């Protein structure tokens, strides 16, 4: 890994390969069937809803339509609230009158018992809005579970002294203002420059993003150790766990809505208690 000719695109591919080791499958962005302005990959989500629930394709479309109401023209100042509402629609406010005689049933968006049964895709150079000539942004890495984009990652060249993870994090912070809708379903985001790997929830300033470690040894000493931490966080089951149980919505001292995603030590400690 000491090859100084390593380019940003090659490092991006390295992160994709590591993601494939921990449960993701890779698809190029141009092979993903989605509408230009659609945050969701609707065909994947529709298939998942039908497979996971006793509903028809038409009923699945009704569920998707309801989710989309939170993804249309989202003001940047409403991102955290919409992110919270979207999460509630997945896990709490997920009752629909699709049962016998119109009885309400709870709709599942993920197979919580076996994450291998979910369609977990990592893609790169994702354009949103797709094919847009004005205002579209190109995202380095996007992670999608059952058609719902849940993580955005930005990458910087490990061997360029004028770039680092902080600039990658700041890129994502800027994207949250210019393409706000893309981050409504978001669990977390990450930035990586080959020397450091940091992550943060939506709305968190780049300077407050924190590292993730897979053990209390807190090792980012080389690329191998860094990739091990990256693979630990990016495991689909762990991300789902963070989404469901380790994310808190509250307000700051000025009353503004904020999202708090657990630090690695909180997750490791909580997991140890559960075990």
């Amino acid at each position: 890994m000491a090859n100084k000719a390593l380019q940003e695109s090659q490092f991006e591919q390295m992160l994709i390969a590591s993601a494939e080791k921990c449960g993701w499958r890779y698809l190029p962005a141009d092979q993903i069937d989605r509408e230009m302005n659609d945050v969701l990959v609707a065909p994947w989500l529709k298939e998942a809803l039908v497979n996971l629930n006793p509903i028809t394709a038409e009923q699945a479309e009704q569920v998707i339509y309801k989710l989309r109401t939170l993804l249309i023209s989202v003001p940047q100042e409403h991102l955290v609230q919409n992110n919270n509402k979207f999460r509630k629609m997945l896990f709490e406010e997920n009752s629909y009158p699709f049962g016998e005689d119109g009885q309400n049933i709870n709709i599942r968006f993920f197979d919580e018992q076996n994450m291998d049964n979910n369609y977990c895709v990592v893609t790169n150079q994702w354009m949103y809005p797709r094919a847009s000539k004005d205002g579209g942004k190109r995202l380095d890495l996007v992670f999608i579970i059952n058609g719902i984009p849940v993580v955005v990652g930005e990458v910087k060249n490990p061997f360029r002294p004028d770039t680092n993870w902080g600039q990658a994090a700041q890129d994502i912070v800027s994207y949250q203002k210019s393409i706000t809708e893309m981050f409504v379903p978001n669990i977390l985001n990450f930035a990586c420059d080959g020397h450091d790997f940091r992550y943060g929830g939506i709305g968190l300033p780049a300077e407050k993003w924190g590292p993730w470690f897979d053990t209390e040894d807190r090792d980012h000493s080389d690329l191998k150790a860094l990739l091990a931490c990256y693979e630990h966080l990016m495991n689909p089951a762990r991300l789902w766990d963070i989404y469901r149980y380790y994310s808190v919505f509250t307000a700051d001292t000025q009353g503004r809505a904020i999202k708090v995603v657990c630090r690695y030590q909180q997750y490791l400690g909580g997991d140890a208690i559960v075990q």
Side-chain angles (χ1 to χ4, degrees):
M1 300 304 177
N3 179 10
K4 293 192 176 183
L6 184 69
Q7 300 297 312
E8 189 171 303
S9 60
Q10 293 173 299
F11 185 51
E12 187 179 287
Q13 290 298 322
M14 190 180 299
L15 291 176
I16 290 171
S18 287
E20 289 179 305
K21 292 180 182 178
C22 63
W24 301 87
R25 65 187 70 187
Y26 171 69
L27 276 180
D30 60 5
Q31 294 183 20
I32 296 176
D33 181 16
R34 61 188 176 99
E35 298 298 324
M36 185 181 80
N37 293 311
D38 205 346
V39 171
L40 305 171
V41 184
W44 297 354
L45 180 53
K46 181 177 177 180
E47 182 177 357
L49 288 169
V50 172
N51 289 339
L52 293 170
N53 302 280
I55 63 175
T56 65
E58 291 73 20
Q59 289 169 331
E61 289 174 355
Q62 293 180 46
V63 176
I64 295 171
Y65 177 84
K66 188 174 180 180
L67 289 179
R68 283 196 176 120
T69 62
L70 294 174
L71 301 171
I72 300 173
S73 301
V74 182
Q76 193 273 329
E77 62 269 21
H78 293 165
L79 173 57
V80 173
Q81 292 96 322
N82 279 34
N83 183 261
N84 189 15
K85 290 177 183 177
F86 193 94
R87 178 183 173 279
K88 285 183 177 180
M89 288 177 71
L90 297 185
F91 298 119
E92 300 171 27
E93 300 171 3
N94 57 342
S95 180
Y96 291 81
F98 297 154
E100 188 175 351
D101 298 325
Q103 291 181 335
N104 283 344
I105 61 172
N106 289 333
I107 295 299
R108 294 195 302 155
F109 294 84
F110 311 104
D111 187 334
E112 303 174 13
Q113 304 303 317
N114 185 0
M115 287 302 293
D116 290 339
N117 289 336
N118 299 299
Y119 194 45
C120 301
V121 170
V122 56
T123 188
N124 63 327
Q125 300 303 306
W126 170 284
M127 196 75 180
Y128 182 82
R130 188 178 188 182
S132 174
K133 294 181 180 179
D134 53 340
K137 302 296 181 182
R138 188 177 298 276
L139 308 178
D140 286 348
L141 296 170
V142 176
F143 295 75
I144 306 159
I145 301 180
N146 291 350
I148 301 174
V150 293
V151 175
V152 173
E154 283 293 304
V155 178
K156 295 299 180 183
N157 192 322
F159 297 107
R160 282 188 58 182
D162 58 333
T163 61
N164 55 44
W165 73 266
Q167 291 165 302
Q170 189 56 55
D171 287 345
I172 293 180
V173 171
S174 297
Y175 295 154
Q176 291 175 38
K177 299 176 182 178
S178 59
I179 51 170
T180 309
E181 295 84 356
M182 188 68 206
F183 294 87
V184 170
N186 188 267
I187 299 175
L188 55 85
N189 304 295
F190 71 82
C192 191
D193 61 5
H195 308 288
D196 211 342
F197 170 62
R198 303 249 174 170
Y199 73 101
I202 56 165
L204 188 68
E207 61 270 18
K208 292 186 177 181
W209 286 31
W212 183 274
F213 297 106
D214 56 343
T215 69
E216 290 293 350
D217 293 338
R218 296 186 292 180
D219 185 12
H220 278 185
S221 59
D222 56 30
L223 187 53
K224 181 180 179 181
L226 184 146
L227 289 176
C229 296
Y230 162 78
E231 291 172 19
H232 186 264
L233 175 60
M234 295 308 299
N235 180 286
R238 184 160 292 107
L239 285 171
W240 181 89
D241 214 19
I242 291 171
Y243 201 14
R244 186 75 187 268
Y245 301 113
Y246 290 87
S247 298
V248 176
F249 293 86
T250 183
D252 63 14
T253 56
Q254 297 179 334
R256 294 173 299 194
I258 59 173
K259 179 181 181 179
V260 180
V261 178
C262 64
R263 296 300 192 188
Y264 77 93
Q265 60 267 49
Q266 294 168 324
Y267 181 85
L268 294 178
D271 190 53
I273 292 170
V274 171
Q275 297 303 322

